[in-house]
Amino acid sequence: MADEKRSRSVRSALRHDGRARLALGLVGLIVAAELLSNWSPAVESFVITTLINVMIVVGLYILIGNSGVVSFGQISFMALGAYMTGLITVEASRKEFLLPDLPGWLSSLHLGTLPALVIVVVLVGLIAALLGIPLMRLSGLSASIATLSLLIISNVLITQSSSITGGNQTFIGVPVTTTTEVALVGAILAIFVAIWFRRSRIGLLLRASRDDEPAARAAGVSVTKERVVAFGISGALIGLAGAFYAHFVGSFSPDDFYFEITFTTLAMLVVGGLYSLEGAVVGALLISTIQEMLGRLENGEGLGPIHATLHDGVTAIVLACIVIAVMIFRPSGLMGHRDTDDEGPADEEDRPTPVVPADDPEAAT
Amino acid sequence: MNDQPILKVDGLSVAYGPVRALRGVSIEVRRGRTVSVIGPNGAGKSTLLWTITGLLKPAAGSVELEGEVISGLKPETIARRGLAIVPEGRHNFLSLTVADNLRLAQIAGRRRGGDEALYERTLDRFPVLRDRLDSPASQLSGGEAQQLAIARALLTKPLILLLDEPSFGLAPLTVEGVFEELVRLKEEGMTVLMVEQNAGKALEVADDAYILSNGEVETASSAESLKSQEDFDAAYFGEGGAF
Amino acid sequence: MLQHIFDAAATGSLYAVIALGIALVFGVMRLVNFAYGELLMVGGYVVLLTAGLPWPLIVACTLAAVGIVAFLMERIAFRPVREADPTTMLITSFAVSILLQNIAVWIAGRRPKGVSFGSSLSEPVDIAGASVPIVEPVTLGVVAASLILFVFIMRKTELGVQMRAAAEDFRMARLMGVRADSVIVAAFVASGVLAAIAALLLVATTGSVSPYMGLQPVLIGFVATVIGGMGSLIGAAVGGFALGAVTVLLQVVLPESVVSYRDAFVFSFVILVLLAWPQGLFANRAAEERV
């Protein structure tokens, strides 16, 4: 009894500690973002990119971190969000010129950024949930291949439906409204949604199923339903991130939402830790920073006192090597399974490594 | 003849995550003996065999084959040192022909001095297999499949033969045949370690027996004395679920 | 019509080789190898580098180089994660794919480069009244010969028997003394050789190489192996052939406006197949009892 009491008080202390860390982390994020943004326009654009990356990676975490289903298709929703907000917010006169074949009602539609974002969240979330109904019946490799197929399908649809999207052409003229503050709101919103979801009943059930799917199914948890919810929320957030991205860059093309960003955002999550929210954020910040620094060197812009020029491709090479190294030496990511505000004190971390015959992991069912 | 056991399991503990499946299990199998490990479902019998074969890594304790520590080695290395297993459910390679299944075993056996004579002797032992060399293993009946699994193990010319639930999933008449085969192997001097839920059958052929319960060795004695002991009933049937 | 049949058969047999290479590695270690496409890409660049040499030397260099890269790939990146879950392996292979792509970008730049290898093969030849580029019958011949050799190795050699056994039940194979390392290395090298063959045929057909040339083939390979049943070698080869043939024929049959959506249809079909056998194709062995 005494033991239990003590462990409960340890737990609550940790929770408070966790809350303090969360608050500290968020304040740090806000202060850093604001300070850096005032440095120079180039740094500001780096800050905004990073915050959008945080949104995407946290969106990935909501699905992957809770359910263990690794989706390669979430960037489809980013594309959807970007094109949707573009179609809503570009001025009617410009649309007529750029996309003459657009259906009439879409052509005359013109709303401000805020209503557009609301529409994006709702519609993309719904579409994601609907697509999730069949897709989330799958697990493991099947789910990964199916979601990869989704990414390819969405790319085909975007490039081929040129009357609506402009096809392979760059989609231009989206009002540039994503400031550092807006991006900060987005990133923090994403983090809170993720915390809320993780603590929700659905989140708990999903994590139970992640660790032992057959057992969860046997216990009557219809994992599919919970996964569909996670897929929908993840899709809505990533769709929103796509809209933010569109309002940040102003112009984009289908290739911006394909394999490259799928890999970099997944790399961010993997490096931080697939199953950790803190990891998602840290991974996004870390990799975005590395990417920015190397990217500048690659473009010959120099980095403070460093004026070396890196060859094209080096950034991706470094990134790929980081991912491979993490997979080999620390497959649970930099943050392991730790979570800032987790109720149970790092229970996942302390668990002894299961000793299951490892040759054929799928057979461990 | 030295008195060293062929197989010695010493203080073996195995854990699946937080669950301890085996706790300090020690058993010995001497040359030419048939040893049965019996116990109810979930007692850790299969875990014991898997750990001996190297598929599972022990948390503590060791396994020795002819005096050399084998725990920690790769399964294939252990197999090459002369440990053969007939797994539960047989696990023949169904997409391969009977001949190819045997050939695979021969590859392993050749390194241990297995030759054509051993191959012929094995086929004489199981004439059914000789007739079906070119059929896929998937077309064998349950009894034939069990014969193939045993033949395959023998062709590797093992020091010791491990059997995991040899009667599992077989018709009663076939079970009879399997145990007759075991008696024959025993007469030929084969060393056998068997895990079996069918305690009556297992004790009939065994020289020594261990009762495993909740991951621990409850009783170790000669099979003879165990058959007459009361605590056998208590330990075995008391757990329920065995029959 | 005969001409279209030749087109279909040539594309189909190319896809069959590609799919076989993916299925081979998947069979022995449950790895869906994204980086397989980059093996093809490496093959393409080796052809580019050795372009001045007599063709048998080009072929030999390509086979050797891609085989070595496949070997190194297994050794450096995949062996350390072999015991990890399929997700870890999948992400690793994604990273290896990006790594190799960008090494190519670093060395040779992003732009596609023209290769003259086999340009004489694009000349038309008359077969039974149809005029087809020589490269098509050559492709058919090369693929047929490779497959016959492959089947022979798998059926008749000891290594082949061990690989087939390992592909069916990896643990049981190990329990019978089959070395996990050797079988997996063999599978990787063999998949490298298949990738090299595919690369040679592809470059001879298209006449160009680029860092991203591996993407399309690897996706095709995934689709084919999924359709043919992951882990089944024959299934993968047949799936590849069917996919190639059907794609070409659809190109002919469907109206222009629909053809551009072809890949969307193909990948929707993949999802449907996966949904129809949610446990099936990938986990066909897991459904059995444990060893």
Side-chain angles (χ1 to χ4, degrees):
Chain A
M1 275 321 264
D3 260 7
E4 195 178 310
K5 211 169 183 180
R6 191 165 64 216
S7 91
R8 205 177 292 157
S9 75
V10 167
R11 235 177 251 187
S12 97
L14 269 171
R15 187 162 62 217
H16 284 298
D17 184 41
R19 279 187 186 157
R21 269 172 65 189
L22 175 67
L24 208 67
L26 290 181
V27 170
L29 191 68
I30 294 168
V31 171
E34 289 296 340
L35 284 180
L36 283 171
S37 291
N38 290 327
W39 196 292
S40 75
V43 175
E44 185 182 10
S45 108
F46 155 65
V47 168
I48 296 174
T49 309
T50 305
L51 290 170
I52 292 172
N53 284 340
V54 169
M55 281 182 82
I56 300 171
V57 180
V58 169
L60 288 176
Y61 160 81
I62 288 180
L63 175 68
I64 301 175
N66 287 294
S67 72
V69 174
V70 177
S71 168
F72 286 86
Q74 300 311 88
I75 294 301
S76 315
F77 303 120
M78 183 184 178
L80 196 58
Y83 276 95
M84 215 182 258
T85 199
L87 286 171
I88 297 172
T89 55
V90 172
E91 280 170 41
S93 56
R94 291 188 83 165
K95 266 197 279 196
E96 250 163 64
F97 176 67
L98 296 167
L99 302 164
D101 298 327
L102 212 56
W105 64 275
L106 252 181
S107 193
S108 52
L109 182 67
H110 178 226
L111 297 173
T113 303
L114 198 60
L117 293 181
V118 174
I119 294 174
V120 164
V121 170
V122 173
L123 276 186
V124 176
L126 272 178
I127 291 171
L130 280 177
L131 289 170
I133 291 173
L135 288 173
M136 288 298 100
R137 287 173 50 208
L138 302 170
S139 306
L141 283 177
S142 301
S144 295
I145 298 288
T147 47
L148 179 74
S149 303
L150 176 67
L151 180 70
I152 298 165
I153 293 168
S154 70
N155 186 265
V156 172
L157 293 183
I158 291 172
T159 50
Q160 298 308 324
S161 314
S162 41
S163 63
I164 300 174
T165 60
N168 271 319
Q169 308 273 310
T170 304
F171 193 107
I172 54 173
V174 184
V176 179
T177 47
T178 304
T179 59
T180 302
E181 288 73 26
V182 172
L184 262 176
V185 170
I188 292 171
L189 174 78
I191 291 171
F192 276 110
V193 169
I195 291 175
W196 162 78
F197 183 74
R198 196 181 54 207
R199 285 184 179 165
S200 71
R201 210 180 72 89
I202 294 179
L204 272 167
L205 288 174
L206 273 177
R207 284 201 303 291
S209 79
R210 177 192 80 199
D211 297 332
D212 194 347
E213 190 186 327
R217 282 193 193 274
V221 182
S222 98
V223 195
T224 312
K225 222 165 43 190
E226 283 77 12
R227 281 186 187 163
V228 170
V229 176
F231 199 77
I233 296 177
S234 161
L237 266 183
I238 293 172
L240 186 62
F244 276 35
Y245 175 78
H247 288 293
F248 165 55
V249 290
S251 59
F252 48 84
S253 62
D255 273 357
D256 294 343
F257 312 105
Y258 211 27
F259 281 100
E260 199 180 322
I261 187 152
T262 298
F263 175 68
T264 41
T265 49
L266 208 56
M268 290 171 189
L269 184 60
V270 162
V271 168
L274 269 181
Y275 299 150
S276 153
L277 174 56
E278 201 171 318
V281 177
V282 170
L285 296 178
L286 188 71
I287 299 291
S288 301
T289 308
I290 293 174
Q291 226 182 350
E292 170 75 10
M293 296 199 303
L294 293 175
R296 290 178 142 225
L297 290 177
E298 239 179 48
N299 296 338
E301 290 168 33
L303 192 72
I306 309 170
H307 280 286
T309 304
L310 288 176
H311 234 285
D312 192 13
V314 170
T315 307
I317 290 173
V318 172
L319 209 61
C321 288
I322 292 175
V323 172
I324 295 171
V326 167
M327 288 289 96
I328 293 175
F329 299 110
R330 207 175 153 81
S332 59
L334 297 179
M335 291 291 145
H337 291 196
R338 187 170 8 166
D339 275 321
T340 330
D341 66 322
D342 220 355
E343 317 251 329
D347 57 334
E348 288 166 302
E349 217 174 11
D350 296 341
R351 179 178 305 152
T353 333
V355 203
V356 170
D359 306 305
D360 186 354
E362 285 199 337
T365 43
Chain B
M1 280 281 263
N2 60 12
D3 210 28
Q4 189 186 41
I6 296 271
L7 184 77
K8 187 173 174 203
V9 175
D10 194 14
L12 202 65
S13 294
V14 178
Y16 294 103
V19 184
R20 276 188 131 20
L22 290 180
R23 273 174 301 216
V25 169
S26 299
I27 64 174
E28 265 188 27
V29 186
R30 293 183 178 278
R31 195 179 297 277
R33 308 280 281 184
T34 294
V35 174
S36 284
V37 176
I38 56 179
N41 222 347
K45 302 189 303 286
S46 291
T47 306
L48 174 64
L49 284 199
W50 288 4
T51 314
I52 295 172
T53 61
L55 275 182
L56 289 179
K57 302 273 170 269
S62 68
V63 181
E64 289 174 22
L65 188 66
E66 277 199 317
E68 283 179 60
V69 176
I70 56 165
S71 38
L73 297 180
K74 293 177 188 166
E76 56 262 42
T77 314
I78 296 175
R80 283 159 180 241
R81 296 244 179 126
L83 188 131
I85 182 166
V86 178
E88 180 185 329
R90 297 168 285 280
H91 282 260
N92 293 323
F93 298 102
L94 300 179
S95 62
L96 272 57
T97 59
V98 171
D100 278 344
N101 269 279
L102 296 174
R103 190 163 163 217
L104 199 65
Q106 267 186 298
I107 298 172
R110 213 178 303 135
R111 234 170 261 109
R112 313 186 33 78
D115 50 15
E116 279 308 306
L118 174 66
Y119 184 70
E120 289 304 321
R121 268 207 314 283
T122 312
L123 282 183
D124 287 342
R125 182 189 279 270
F126 304 108
V128 189
L129 297 181
R130 197 193 284 282
D131 298 337
R132 312 210 48 182
L133 280 176
D134 291 325
S135 7
S138 56
Q139 287 176 7
L140 299 183
S141 70
E144 290 165 348
Q146 186 65 290
Q147 292 189 20
L148 175 58
I150 297 175
R152 214 170 49 162
L154 292 180
L155 274 179
T156 65
K157 207 161 188 267
L159 285 170
I160 179 168
L161 183 62
L162 268 50
L163 294 161
D164 193 358
E165 306 279 3
S167 71
F168 179 84
L170 293 180
L173 211 67
T174 321
V175 173
E176 223 40 63
V178 169
F179 279 96
E180 270 163 33
E181 200 51 57
L182 279 178
V183 172
R184 206 142 59 112
L185 281 172
K186 188 174 156 181
E187 281 160 4
E188 289 165 21
M190 178 61 71
T191 312
V192 175
L193 173 64
M194 171 173 50
V195 148
E196 178 63 67
Q197 270 195 54
N198 186 339
K201 278 277 165 223
L203 291 179
E204 231 167 74
V205 291
D207 301 303
D208 308 303
Y210 293 83
I211 296 177
L212 206 59
S213 174
N214 284 327
E216 282 173 294
V217 171
E218 196 124 296
T219 316
S221 72
S222 76
E224 235 5 86
S225 67
L226 196 58
K227 263 190 279 188
S228 53
Q229 255 173 30
E230 275 177 38
D231 62 334
F232 162 66
D233 294 323
Y236 203 76
F237 300 106
E239 297 286 337
F243 293 100
Chain C
M1 191 58 215
L2 192 61
Q3 194 177 333
H4 294 316
I5 290 175
F6 254 101
D7 288 351
T11 310
S13 48
L14 182 61
Y15 286 13
V17 171
I18 293 169
L20 199 55
I22 290 179
L24 197 58
V25 168
F26 183 83
V28 294
M29 68 182 289
R30 310 268 105 178
L31 164 72
V32 178
N33 191 7
F34 265 107
Y36 182 74
E38 277 58 47
L39 291 176
L40 249 98
M41 182 270 293
V42 169
Y45 277 93
V46 174
V47 174
L48 177 71
L49 284 175
T50 54
L53 300 173
W55 72 263
L57 277 180
I58 297 180
V59 172
C61 287
T62 310
L63 290 174
V66 180
I68 291 169
V69 172
F71 172 81
L72 292 176
M73 194 189 262
E74 192 276 330
R75 229 26 210 279
I76 296 168
F78 293 119
R79 186 169 296 189
V81 297
R82 193 197 290 163
E83 314 241 312
D85 54 309
T87 302
T88 305
M89 288 203 287
L90 189 65
I91 294 170
T92 307
S93 84
F94 203 177
V96 172
S97 157
I98 299 281
L99 176 66
L100 291 176
Q101 252 176 38
N102 284 283
I103 289 177
V105 169
W106 185 3
I107 296 172
R110 285 177 192 272
R111 298 190 170 285
K113 288 190 181 342
V115 189
S116 60
F117 174 69
S119 48
S120 59
L121 293 179
S122 57
E123 278 165 32
V125 62
D126 228 42
I127 299 175
S131 167
V132 296
I134 304 177
V135 73
E136 290 187 354
V138 167
T139 300
L140 286 175
V142 169
V143 170
S146 319
L147 291 187
I148 289 170
L149 183 66
F150 181 77
V151 170
F152 176 80
I153 291 172
M154 293 302 273
R155 295 225 164 260
K156 298 297 173 198
T157 67
E158 288 191 353
L159 183 66
V161 175
Q162 291 184 326
M163 284 179 68
R164 279 190 296 143
E168 183 186 320
D169 188 338
F170 197 71
R171 273 194 250 163
M172 191 58 220
R174 296 185 78 181
L175 290 177
M176 294 196 59
V178 174
R179 281 188 210 273
D181 288 351
S182 330
V183 168
I184 289 176
V185 166
F188 264 89
V189 171
S191 97
V193 168
L194 288 169
I197 293 170
L200 287 163
L201 295 172
L202 199 64
V203 171
T205 311
T206 62
S208 78
V209 296
S210 91
Y212 311 107
M213 67 184 275
L215 180 63
Q216 198 61 24
V218 85
L219 293 177
I220 288 161
F222 282 172
V223 177
T225 32
V226 167
I227 294 172
M230 216 73 192
S232 155
L233 298 179
I234 297 169
V238 173
F241 190 87
L243 181 68
V246 169
T247 348
V248 171
L249 293 179
L250 281 182
Q251 198 98 34
V252 180
V253 177
L254 293 179
E256 185 82 27
S257 57
V258 183
V259 165
S260 53
Y261 287 96
R262 190 192 62 203
D263 286 356
F265 288 118
V266 169
F267 284 95
S268 307
F269 182 64
V270 170
I271 295 178
L272 285 180
V273 171
L274 289 169
L275 284 170
W277 290 275
Q279 304 289 322
L281 299 178
F282 285 102
N284 47 6
R285 285 187 306 167
E288 296 169 22
E289 312 157 63
R290 312 172 69 141
V291 175

